[in-house]
Amino acid sequence: MSGPVRTEDVPAVATDAIRPAPNPTVVVTDSRTSQVGHVAVRRALPQRTRRTVGAWCFVDHMGPVPVTEDGGVDIGPHPHIGLHTVTWLVAGEVLHRDGLGSEQVIRPGQLNLMTAGHGVAHAEEATGRYRGDLHGVQLWVAQPETTRHGPPAFEHHAELPHLDLDHGVATVLVGALGAAASPARRDTDLVGVDLDLRPGTTVVPLQPGHEHALVVLDGAVALAGTAGPVRPGHLAYLGEGRDELALTVTAPERALLVGGEPFESPVLMWWNYVARTQGEVGAAVRAWNDPDDARFAPVTSRLDRIPSPSPPWERW
Ligand code: MN
């Protein structure tokens, strides 16, 4: 489910030209429509004016879209560096395979978290069994300098902690919300929460030192400071300095809250790489295309390996 980042998404340079507002704010921006495999997705991050929310640097919202046993999201083996992929489904099933030998079907309520470090490759396939709607998100988390050159890893969490809210239930994917803390790996101070909301107003506790953003997965969510409800296809950036967030819905709705301490440095995102310099990206492109199995261990997959395009700064 991981879509490559293109220069239409963001220019291939690391910049912190747009810093997050230090105080609570609400800035609603439209997602870009992008294509992942055969499926259209709403890309809420990165945006030209906002690369990161905490360490979250990529948010793709996919579906709901019908898939079959042998077709749907078919992303052949491809590489990543410098990030964690976080996969979370509202409906459907996807088979994850990676160069570490992991082979894991993910279902709604479960979390797949893959750490790329200096390099890993994976594929995302139909399960050979599931037919129906696929609906979910894939998120990337930028790794900090302390871990981004380290070894790859993969985690699957079949159970995650829940927190009962006024009119809904929060599932903590990563980090902590109130007394509920996820067992998933995180290399920086951040939080990712699924919100399953019932009609009424729900107050979500937040950490004021974090910046936050809300993505609506289903329905419409009203929050103070916006002209109208936030819907799928929006990113509602909330700034820093909030200790709570009030969300009002009139029907059962689903949303995703992401946040964290503002990231330590600008990142350079291009294709499936999160780096700091063009040289790092160029080295990863060559190691994948040549290929260097010591850096990107091969993935067993029924799908074809996806070659890396050349970076725009190397074309002439
Ligand atoms: Mn991927």
Side-chain angles (χ1 to χ4, degrees), residues 45 51-59 82-84 139-144 186-191 210-211 258-265 267 269 274 276:
L45 271 183
R51 306 297 176 84
T52 52
V53 177
W56 301 98
C57 62
F58 180 94
V59 177
L83 59 87
H84 310 279
L139 310 124
W140 295 353
V141 177
Q143 289 184 256
R186 59 182 177 84
D187 293 1
T188 58
D189 190 7
L190 84 168
V191 66
H210 288 181
E211 56 177 338
V258 293
E261 63 180 7
F263 196 60
E264 64 187 19
S265 70
V267 296
M269 297 179 64
V274 174
R276 303 293 183 272

Side-chain angles (χ1 to χ4, degrees), residues 165-168 197-204 221-224 244-251:
L165 301 171
D166 306 328
H167 294 91
L197 301 171
R198 301 185 300 272
T201 295
T202 294
V203 176
V204 182
V221 175
L223 56 153
E244 61 180 37
L245 177 68
L247 303 171
T248 302
V249 301
T250 56

